[in-house]
Amino acid sequence: NFSRVTEFILLGLSNTRELQVLFFTFFFLAYVMVLLGNLLIIVTVRSDPKLSSPMYFLLCNLSFIDICCTSVTSPRMLVDLLFQRKAIAFEDCIAQLFFLHFVGASEMFLLTVMAYDRYIAICKPLHYTAIMSRQVCWVLVSACWAGGFLHSIVQTLLTIQLPFCGPNTIDNYFCDVPPVIRLACTDIYVTEWLMASNSGLISLVCFLVLVTSYLFILVTIRVRFTEGHWKALSTCASHAMVVTLFFVPCIFIYFRPFSTFPSDKHICVIYTVFSPVMNPLIYTLRNNEVKASMWKL
């Protein structure tokens, strides 16, 4: 009710026409790779009965979340790269913010669950089927989506209660909490710390849980020098690459006051574009079972 701003202007990644054409080509190819790669993983896992273990069930869900995550920002960015004036309606901006944090937080929780799955498989192999049953997997995945929804609702409600009455230029290529709340016509000190403690703590806690689980796995592998455990180490190393690409930029952006730092739009590219592109490559090219099933398909 207090808002007089009807639209925001996105500055994008660059104002240079040649760079915009270059960015459009690169990000269009990246978006196509994300869609095709993750859809191929989903179809492969769903069509091959051999890929029915909890690890592949979670991988299938990760692929779906990656498609949703990149589809929140990439299509709008590609369209804006073709036009000089990059305007987005206030309602569309809030919707983009909501869905970005919804799927983003859900992916954080899911990556944590996947690390827990690898920990149980390697450190407690005899109890794996009992602990990670199909019912438990569904509960964990549902909890990931529920946690992402609650996180996104909090971020969105804290944003829309702010009055926007003047500046409407966002120095980014999509609507996110830090650049949007900087435009509010009020003191946002309390709000930004609430948001930073929400997003930042979720990113940091999930990252620490992931690191802890991998440390336990490394300790277990060091004690048991078997071929199967070295294969597990290779799998965990690839997972760690995804975790680093996704979590480190998120912690850097959200775990600090928003108003005292400049725009981080180039860092945002890492977790909105590069991470979804790398996921299907890392989780398939380093997994012989998935590659074999893809060739059969």
Side-chain angles (χ1 to χ4, degrees), residues 4-24:
R4 292 200 297 264
V5 172
T6 58
E7 67 177 13
F8 291 108
I9 304 299
L10 301 172
L11 297 183
L13 293 172
S14 173
N15 292 324
T16 307
R17 189 58 186 169
E18 291 76 12
L19 282 177
Q20 288 181 344
V21 174
L22 180 64
F23 286 149
F24 176 85

Side-chain angles (χ1 to χ4, degrees), residues 116-135:
Y116 173 73
D117 170 74
R118 291 299 84 205
Y119 164 75
I120 297 297
I122 296 171
C123 299
K124 299 182 179 180
L126 298 180
H127 302 281
Y128 180 69
T129 55
I131 296 175
M132 295 299 295
S133 64
R134 181 51 64 100
Q135 292 78 10

Side-chain angles (χ1 to χ4, degrees), residues 181-232:
I181 68 171
R182 289 193 191 109
L183 305 178
C185 303
T186 186
D187 183 15
I188 60 171
Y189 180 80
V190 176
T191 303
E192 68 178 343
W193 275 107
L194 288 173
M195 290 180 166
S197 61
N198 186 346
S199 297
L201 277 180
I202 288 177
S203 304
L204 183 62
V205 170
C206 289
F207 182 70
L208 292 177
V209 171
L210 284 160
V211 171
T212 303
S213 66
Y214 289 139
L215 288 176
F216 277 114
I217 291 173
L218 288 175
V219 171
T220 302
I221 291 175
R222 194 183 71 169
V223 176
R224 309 171 191 172
F225 292 97
T226 64
E227 182 179 351
H229 283 90
W230 282 115
K231 181 181 178 182

Side-chain angles (χ1 to χ4, degrees), residues 62 107-115 210 242 246-247 283:
L62 178 64
E107 181 164 358
M108 288 184 183
F109 295 137
L110 184 61
L111 287 171
T112 307
V113 170
M114 292 179 72
L210 284 160
V242 176
F246 187 75
F247 278 92
Y283 283 101

Side-chain angles (χ1 to χ4, degrees), residues 75-288:
R76 178 83 202 189
M77 176 179 60
L78 291 173
V79 172
D80 287 341
L81 285 171
L82 299 176
F83 299 96
Q84 287 298 113
R85 190 174 186 273
K86 306 169 180 61
I88 182 171
F90 181 85
E91 295 79 7
D92 295 341
C93 183
I94 297 300
Q96 188 180 55
L97 184 151
F98 169 80
F99 285 108
L100 177 68
H101 281 265
F102 180 26
V103 295
S106 300
E107 181 164 358
M108 288 184 183
F109 295 137
L110 184 61
L111 287 171
T112 307
V113 170
M114 292 179 72
Y116 173 73
D117 170 74
R118 291 299 84 205
Y119 164 75
I120 297 297
I122 296 171
C123 299
K124 299 182 179 180
L126 298 180
H127 302 281
Y128 180 69
T129 55
I131 296 175
M132 295 299 295
S133 64
R134 181 51 64 100
Q135 292 78 10
V136 171
C137 289
W138 276 109
V139 170
L140 291 174
V141 170
S142 300
C144 292
W145 284 104
F149 179 78
L150 290 176
H151 161 75
S152 184
I153 281 291
V154 172
Q155 297 291 93
T156 305
L157 291 178
L158 287 173
T159 302
I160 62 177
Q161 57 87 27
L162 296 172
F164 297 93
C165 56
N168 68 335
T169 302
I170 298 176
D171 189 14
N172 210 326
Y173 59 92
F174 64 94
C175 288
D176 197 7
V177 168
V180 170
I181 68 171
R182 289 193 191 109
L183 305 178
C185 303
T186 186
D187 183 15
I188 60 171
Y189 180 80
V190 176
T191 303
E192 68 178 343
W193 275 107
L194 288 173
M195 290 180 166
S197 61
N198 186 346
S199 297
L201 277 180
I202 288 177
S203 304
L204 183 62
V205 170
C206 289
F207 182 70
L208 292 177
V209 171
L210 284 160
V211 171
T212 303
S213 66
Y214 289 139
L215 288 176
F216 277 114
I217 291 173
L218 288 175
V219 171
T220 302
I221 291 175
R222 194 183 71 169
V223 176
R224 309 171 191 172
F225 292 97
T226 64
E227 182 179 351
H229 283 90
W230 282 115
K231 181 181 178 182
L233 178 61
S234 176
T235 302
C236 291
S238 63
H239 291 193
M241 293 173 60
V242 176
V243 166
T244 303
L245 279 175
F246 187 75
F247 278 92
V248 173
C250 291
I251 294 172
F252 177 78
I253 290 174
Y254 295 112
F255 200 56
R256 63 183 190 179
F258 301 147
S259 59
T260 56
F261 290 86
S263 173
D264 301 305
K265 57 186 176 183
H266 297 97
I267 298 177
C268 295
V269 174
I270 298 175
Y271 67 87
T272 59
V273 178
F274 284 112
S275 182
V277 169
M278 293 299 294
N279 279 357
L281 296 177
I282 290 175
Y283 283 101
T284 56
L285 295 181
R286 297 181 62 86
N287 191 308
N288 292 327

